[in-house]
């Protein structure tokens, strides 16, 4: 039930949270980047790219005068969106401080990826077990995850800290595993609003929480600071691989350890 009309962010896909994840700061929830129109970047500065990946688009976001009023920093945010030969989706963000006043700036960031799943009660997330997390539902208090893979039976809104570069989402019913590979993004937010919050959101169907899960490659706990001229990079790669977890044909650990 996403609303495709500005100024609200479209719910779904991969909203980009910048320059602020969440609402702890002066800006709107998850920052303004996800609510802006980006331009095609026709002449991006070169960066090393895998030559087999020919299908890509370069986008750019620069602050408007209005943006500068709420976040008084000049930046260039370049986003390369690449579709790999096997259907993998790569997102590379490059954020540069272009302040002329010599001032550094600090930001937090997330690729707020919505994954489609067949039934949230049958989904497992692997790669986050035993890690520390901040629980958004308990005043961001810090806990340590216990037990095996993460499963879902109620609302969840957690920021896992210092996570591995690979995380897997196993969709038992669909026999499909999403693999997230990330770089420069130490944290991972896991969010499902469950029934009550789903009902409260105008752009979210009452039962849609059963068929989605957000796992968000992020840099939240330790904000990133850039001096003028400095650039930060954050990369996420998504692939979907067939899995038959129950029959044991594909061991999720091997998915995580694989290439
Ligand atoms: C998650 C946050 O990343 O995004 C949640 O951890 C939040 O707290 C959710 O509710 C959705 O945010 P929004 O602004 O897109 O409704």
């Amino acid at each position: 039930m996403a609303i495709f009309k500005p100024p609200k962010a479209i719910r779904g896909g991969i909203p980009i949270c910048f320059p602020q994840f969440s609402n702890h700061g002066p800006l709107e929830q998850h920052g303004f980047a996800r609510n802006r129109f980006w331009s095609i970047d026709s002449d991006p500065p070169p960066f090393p790219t895998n030559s087999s990946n020919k299908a890509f688009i370069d986008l750019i976001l620069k602050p408007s005068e209005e943006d500068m009023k709420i976040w008084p920093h000049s930046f260039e945010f370049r986003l390369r969106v690449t579709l790999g030969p096997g259907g993998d989706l790569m997102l590379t963000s490059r954020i540069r401080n272009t302040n002329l006043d010599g001032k550094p700036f600090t930001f937090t960031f997330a690729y707020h990826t919505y994954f489609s799943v067949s039934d949230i009660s049958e989904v497992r997330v692997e790669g986050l077990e035993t890690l520390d997390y901040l629980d958004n539902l308990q005043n961001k208090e810090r806990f340590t995850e216990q037990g095996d893979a993460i499963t879902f039976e109620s609302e969840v809104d957690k920021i896992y800290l210092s996570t591995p570069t690979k995380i897997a989402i196993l969709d038992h019913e669909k026999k499909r595993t999403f693999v997230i590979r990330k770089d420069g993004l130490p944290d991972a937010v896991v969010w499902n609003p469950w029934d009550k919050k789903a009902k409260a959101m105008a752009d979210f169907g009452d039962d849609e929480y059963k068929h989605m899960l957000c796992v968000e490659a992020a840099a939240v706990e330790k904000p990133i600071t850039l001096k003028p001229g400095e650039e930060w990079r954050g990369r996420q790669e998504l692939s979907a691989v067939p899995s038959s977890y129950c029959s044991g044909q594909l061991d999720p650990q091997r998915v995580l350890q694989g290439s």
Side-chain angles (χ1 to χ4, degrees):
M1 289 180 65
I3 300 163
F4 286 72
K5 226 199 250 165
K8 216 183 165 302
I10 300 162
R11 189 171 299 288
I14 311 180
I16 294 198
C17 306
F18 171 84
Q20 172 184 294
F21 176 81
S22 191
N23 52 9
H24 298 270
L27 301 175
E28 63 209 78
Q29 155 105 333
H30 292 335
F32 53 78
R34 66 174 181 165
N35 297 325
R36 296 291 178 269
F37 286 103
W38 295 53
S39 307
I40 290 175
D41 188 8
S42 48
D43 190 20
F47 67 90
T49 175
N50 181 340
S51 54
S52 62
N53 291 328
K54 297 255 162 53
F56 63 82
I57 182 147
D58 285 303
L59 301 173
I60 185 161
L61 180 72
K62 293 183 192 176
S64 65
E65 278 179 24
E66 289 304 302
D67 296 337
M68 297 280 283
K69 283 183 196 154
I70 51 171
W71 201 66
H73 298 293
S74 177
F75 65 86
E76 285 173 359
F77 185 154
R78 293 193 149 82
L79 173 67
R80 175 166 287 192
V81 183
T82 306
L83 194 58
D88 297 356
L89 181 69
M90 275 83 76
L91 299 177
T92 306
S93 289
R94 298 186 289 172
I95 297 170
R96 178 178 288 278
N97 181 335
T98 52
N99 271 339
L100 295 175
D101 58 8
K103 290 202 177 120
F105 62 64
T106 296
F107 64 91
T108 50
F109 181 95
Y111 291 116
H112 195 307
T113 310
Y114 285 75
F115 291 95
S116 164
V117 297
S118 45
D119 176 358
I120 187 67
S121 333
E122 301 286 330
V123 165
R124 298 162 69 89
V125 175
E126 302 243 352
L128 304 175
E129 51 282 359
T130 75
L131 296 183
D132 279 8
Y133 63 88
L134 308 178
D135 196 339
N136 273 329
L137 302 177
Q138 298 189 63
N139 295 318
K140 285 207 158 46
E141 218 183 302
R142 194 176 179 124
F143 297 95
T144 303
E145 194 62 67
Q146 310 286 346
D148 299 334
I150 282 99
T151 53
F152 302 89
E153 48 193 28
S154 59
E155 182 183 2
V156 51
D157 191 352
K158 297 177 177 176
I159 304 168
Y160 290 88
L161 308 173
S162 305
T163 59
T165 53
K166 287 182 199 172
I167 298 170
I169 302 166
L170 290 95
D171 187 338
H172 172 68
E173 201 173 303
K174 227 174 212 164
K175 296 190 168 41
R176 176 171 69 181
T177 296
F178 291 114
V179 181
I180 305 169
R181 292 183 181 82
K182 58 190 181 59
D183 190 35
L185 297 159
D187 306 321
V189 183
V190 176
W191 178 62
N192 184 296
W194 222 253
D195 54 349
K196 275 203 201 88
K197 283 219 176 125
K199 283 205 178 81
M201 284 189 279
D203 55 352
F204 198 100
D206 290 358
D207 283 332
E208 284 184 323
Y209 75 93
K210 293 177 183 163
H211 307 296
M212 60 74 70
L213 178 67
C214 285
V215 179
E216 313 167 30
V220 177
E221 190 200 20
K222 296 181 184 125
I224 292 138
T225 298
L226 291 178
K227 291 188 196 123
E230 281 184 341
E231 186 177 87
W232 170 86
R233 269 183 208 197
R235 202 177 130 78
Q236 164 174 285
E237 196 175 318
L238 302 179
S239 43
V241 295
S243 64
S244 42
Y245 181 47
C246 243
S247 68
Q249 281 172 21
L250 187 62
D251 178 350
Q253 281 307 325
R254 276 174 40 208
V255 172
L256 286 172
Q257 284 153 13
S259 63

